[in-house]
């Protein structure tokens, strides 16, 4: 092999290129893999690192080799990977002169590693390329496949800076939006993730099965999001989506939207569908731990639970939802009663309610003397959730009696009477009840 290369190197510049290129098929046809790799190494080393060959000829020969490798002339994937890696190592000292060829080889090596599900290794290979937005998005996708969300977010931010460069590349744009949703998911920004997943589930260019997965992810993230008005709007949007009826998580979606209290068995069933990062443990601050101690047990009776706070993201989401749901049922509740409902110590239940009130996610007040949590009757903010979700609302002119509890009592009577009238009307239309008989 050395003699052939030396003989070709002695030719004139215009004859060197075709002669070196003619050697490539001959080398690739050799049955011995070790000899094939060794001879290709010698060829690449000669055309790249010998000054007598010249840069023009070197680029011409290396481009032809890259093209042949890309066409799949080597069927054995492992052998092809060895050849590409060896070629990259040989060219590395002169990478500035052969940047285009090296980038193409890196793409080929990344494809081979991706086929082997070596996600992080494939991403690292791409990191060595002179990058553009399309490459950044691919790196982000590969890192997320390996659940390396921290490094993925770094490259996602770089891709975001180049987002305006080519808005006509629809495929890359959709991949970017999916990466955005997944990064929000991994970062526990579940509300933003649910919104992005739901938007993508309507995109017609995406495969139907993939869209179903995105809708399922949207429901999961909405359930895990912090309870409050913003989550209620997202839940309303998902609940109105007829496609969610076929999802295995529809039961918990409907219960959360309708403000029903979730039972442990339902939570356990939902927990089986979660990914590892969605089951991450959460730390309780030292201040919250002190506040959650059982100092209220003497007044409220023996505490049924010794838990001082939620241990996981799911547990926190469920407890906050049940607290919000209880505000729709009770006018007030003791710390001990709320603790029993949430499976927390009375102090931990008070701490959770206090935080939600501070953050504007729960309307109410805390009476620490009587150890009571009072839920406010004026729920205009929560009524707005239904309007935002497109579920409509009934505008009623209420008599101003001045007393808040009288207003609430009157509203409950009106609502009960309206429901009874609606039921009777429905039964009458079905012929199950005759109006005269009902009046008698």
């Amino acid at each position: 092999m050395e003699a052939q290369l030396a003989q070709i190197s002695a030719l004139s510049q215009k004859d060197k290129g075709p002669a070196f290129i003619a050697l490539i098929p001959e080398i690739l046809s050799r049955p011995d893999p070790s000899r094939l790799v060794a001879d290709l190494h010698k060829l690449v080393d000669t055309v790249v690192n010998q000054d007598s060959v010249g840069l023009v000829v070197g680029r011409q020969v290396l481009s032809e080799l890259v093209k042949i490798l890309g066409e799949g002339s080597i069927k054995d994937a492992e052998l092809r990977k060895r050849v590409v890696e060896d070629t990259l190592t040989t060219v590395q000292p002169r990478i500035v002169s052969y940047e285009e060829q090296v980038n193409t080889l890196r793409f080929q090596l990344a494809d081979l590693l991706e086929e082997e599900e070596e996600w992080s290794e494939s991403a690292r290979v791409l990191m060595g390329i002179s990058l553009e937005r399309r490459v950044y998005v691919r790196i982000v996708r590969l890192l997320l496949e390996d659940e390396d969300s921290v490094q993925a977010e770094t490259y996602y931010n770089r891709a975001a800076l180049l987002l305006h460069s080519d808005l006509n590349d629809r495929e890359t744009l959709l991949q970017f939006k999916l990466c955005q949703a997944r990064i929000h998911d991994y970062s526990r920004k579940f509300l933003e993730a649910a919104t992005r997943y739901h938007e993508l589930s309507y995109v017609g260019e995406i495969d139907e099965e993939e869209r179903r997965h995105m809708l399922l992810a949207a429901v999961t993230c909405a359930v895990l999001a912090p309870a409050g008005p913003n989550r209620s709007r997202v839940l309303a949007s998902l609940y109105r989506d007829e496609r969610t009826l076929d999802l295995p998580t529809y039961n918990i979606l409907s219960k959360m939207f309708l403000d029903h209290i979730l039972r442990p068995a339902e939570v356990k069933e939902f927990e089986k569908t979660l990914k590892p990062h969605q089951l991450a443990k959460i730390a309780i601050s030292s201040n919250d731990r002190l506040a959650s101690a059982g100092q209220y047990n003497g007044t409220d009776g023996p505490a049924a639970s010794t838990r001082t706070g939620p241990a996981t993201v799911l547990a926190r989401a469920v407890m906050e939802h049940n607290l919000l749901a209880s505000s729709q049922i009770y006018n007030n509740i003791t710390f001990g009663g709320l603790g029993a409902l949430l499976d927390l110590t009375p102090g931990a239940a008070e701490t959770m309610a206090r935080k939600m009130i501070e953050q504007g996610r729960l309307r109410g007040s805390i009476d620490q003397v009587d150890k009571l949590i009072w839920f406010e009757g004026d729920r205009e903010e929560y009524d707005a959730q239904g309007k935002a979700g497109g579920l409509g609302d009934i505008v009623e002119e209420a008599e101003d009696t001045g007393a808040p509890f009288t207003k609430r009592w009157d509203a409950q009577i009106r609502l009960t009477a309206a429901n009874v009238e609606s039921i009777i009307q429905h039964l009458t239309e079905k012929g199950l009840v005759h109006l005269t008989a009902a009046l008698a």
Side-chain angles (χ1 to χ4, degrees):
M1 187 64 190
E2 290 85 350
Q4 281 182 287
L5 293 173
Q7 185 179 1
I8 295 172
S9 298
L11 297 173
S12 62
Q13 286 296 108
K14 69 172 185 176
D15 295 328
K16 283 180 184 177
F20 279 124
I21 290 172
L23 269 181
I24 296 175
E26 179 185 333
I27 295 172
L28 294 178
S29 64
R30 287 171 187 167
D32 184 5
S34 299
R35 189 180 172 195
L36 185 152
V37 174
D39 287 349
L40 269 181
H41 174 82
K42 292 172 184 175
L43 172 63
V44 173
D45 185 56
T46 300
V47 300
V48 170
N49 297 322
Q50 280 194 12
D51 294 335
S52 60
V53 174
L55 183 58
V56 175
V57 174
R59 285 177 176 169
Q60 183 183 1
V61 176
L62 193 58
S63 295
E64 187 63 25
L65 174 60
V66 170
K67 178 185 174 185
I68 291 173
L69 290 174
E71 291 172 349
S73 55
I74 300 178
K75 302 300 180 185
D76 186 347
E78 190 61 35
L79 177 59
R80 185 181 166 202
K81 187 169 78 169
R82 281 179 58 194
V83 168
V84 173
E85 288 175 337
D86 184 74
T87 304
L88 283 170
T89 304
T90 306
V91 181
Q92 187 65 33
R94 301 194 62 186
I95 190 172
V96 177
S97 302
Y98 298 94
E99 186 175 5
E100 182 182 347
Q101 292 79 12
V102 167
N103 286 350
T104 306
L105 285 171
R106 284 185 175 276
F107 275 120
Q108 292 182 16
L109 181 57
D111 289 338
L112 291 168
L113 290 169
E114 190 173 347
E115 287 173 5
E116 296 175 359
E117 297 187 1
E118 296 286 347
W119 311 115
S120 293
E121 287 300 319
S122 180
R124 289 191 188 96
V125 169
L126 291 173
M127 289 174 195
I129 296 175
S130 299
L131 298 175
E132 56 182 7
R133 183 165 63 93
R134 178 171 57 87
V135 182
Y136 279 131
V137 171
R138 184 175 176 186
I139 290 173
V140 174
R141 180 175 59 80
L142 291 168
L143 289 171
L144 288 174
E145 289 292 341
D146 219 21
E147 299 191 356
D148 187 355
S149 60
V150 176
Q151 197 167 8
E153 188 166 5
T154 301
Y155 282 89
Y156 163 79
N157 291 333
R158 294 181 186 178
L161 294 174
L162 303 173
L163 184 62
H164 62 279
S165 61
D166 186 10
L167 296 177
N168 295 323
D169 188 353
R170 182 69 173 166
E171 182 180 352
T172 304
L173 194 60
L174 288 175
Q175 288 181 355
F176 175 82
K177 288 183 176 181
L178 178 57
C179 290
Q180 184 183 42
R182 293 182 66 185
I183 285 175
H184 285 321
D185 190 350
Y186 278 99
S187 303
R188 301 184 197 171
K189 298 176 181 176
F190 294 117
L191 199 61
E192 294 90 337
T195 304
R196 299 290 177 269
Y197 279 131
H198 196 204
E199 288 173 358
L200 286 168
S201 71
Y202 284 111
V203 178
E205 292 95 327
I206 300 175
D207 181 72
E208 185 176 352
E209 187 62 27
E210 287 296 320
R211 280 187 281 141
R212 186 178 184 277
H213 282 305
M214 290 174 191
L215 185 63
L216 182 60
V219 173
T220 299
C221 289
V223 169
L224 294 174
N230 291 331
R231 188 191 69 162
S232 295
R233 294 186 183 97
V234 175
L235 288 173
S237 179
L238 288 166
Y239 186 76
R240 287 168 45 218
D241 193 331
E242 295 179 354
R243 299 173 298 165
T244 57
L245 289 167
D246 300 326
L247 297 180
T249 52
Y250 177 75
N251 180 50
I252 198 165
L253 168 65
S254 61
K255 285 206 164 190
M256 280 206 158
F257 173 71
L258 298 171
D259 286 329
H260 293 174
I261 291 177
L262 297 173
R263 303 301 176 189
E266 297 166 336
V267 177
K268 282 286 184 186
E269 191 66 26
F270 176 73
E271 188 176 9
K272 297 176 184 176
T273 67
L274 299 182
K275 296 177 181 177
H277 72 274
Q278 294 168 335
L279 293 169
K281 302 287 185 181
I282 55 176
I284 303 174
S285 69
S286 56
N287 289 338
D288 286 347
R289 190 175 286 108
L290 287 172
S292 301
Q295 67 264 43
Y296 301 105
N297 291 354
T299 305
D300 289 334
S305 175
T306 58
R307 293 171 67 185
T308 56
T312 64
V313 175
L314 175 61
R316 180 175 62 189
V318 170
M319 288 178 185
E320 289 182 351
H321 166 77
N322 284 345
L323 175 52
L324 202 59
S326 66
S327 72
Q328 309 295 317
I329 302 171
Y330 303 108
N331 293 331
N332 58 60
I333 190 170
T334 64
F335 296 166
L338 184 60
L341 180 66
L342 303 181
D343 190 21
L344 291 173
T345 63
E350 185 221 351
T351 299
M352 179 171 287
R354 171 175 52 79
K355 282 187 173 182
M356 291 181 68
I357 292 171
E358 287 174 352
Q359 295 166 1
R361 296 188 287 130
L362 175 68
R363 296 177 64 84
S365 59
I366 296 177
D367 183 344
Q368 290 188 320
V369 176
D370 292 331
K371 301 178 179 56
L372 281 174
I373 299 172
W374 288 88
F375 302 116
E376 291 187 9
D378 182 12
R379 294 189 176 87
E380 292 178 3
E381 181 178 352
Y382 297 107
D383 292 341
Q385 297 169 23
K387 295 176 183 177
L391 301 181
D393 196 11
I394 299 173
V395 179
E396 296 179 353
E397 293 294 334
E399 180 185 356
D400 186 8
T401 58
F405 291 106
T406 303
K407 286 182 181 180
R408 184 184 296 183
W409 179 254
D410 290 345
Q412 288 174 345
I413 291 174
R414 281 197 299 271
L415 181 62
T416 303
N419 288 337
V420 170
E421 185 177 352
S422 176
I423 291 170
I424 291 176
Q425 184 178 359
H426 183 69
L427 292 174
T428 303
E429 291 173 354
K430 295 289 186 180
L432 299 175
V433 173
H434 296 291
L435 189 58
T436 54
L439 292 173

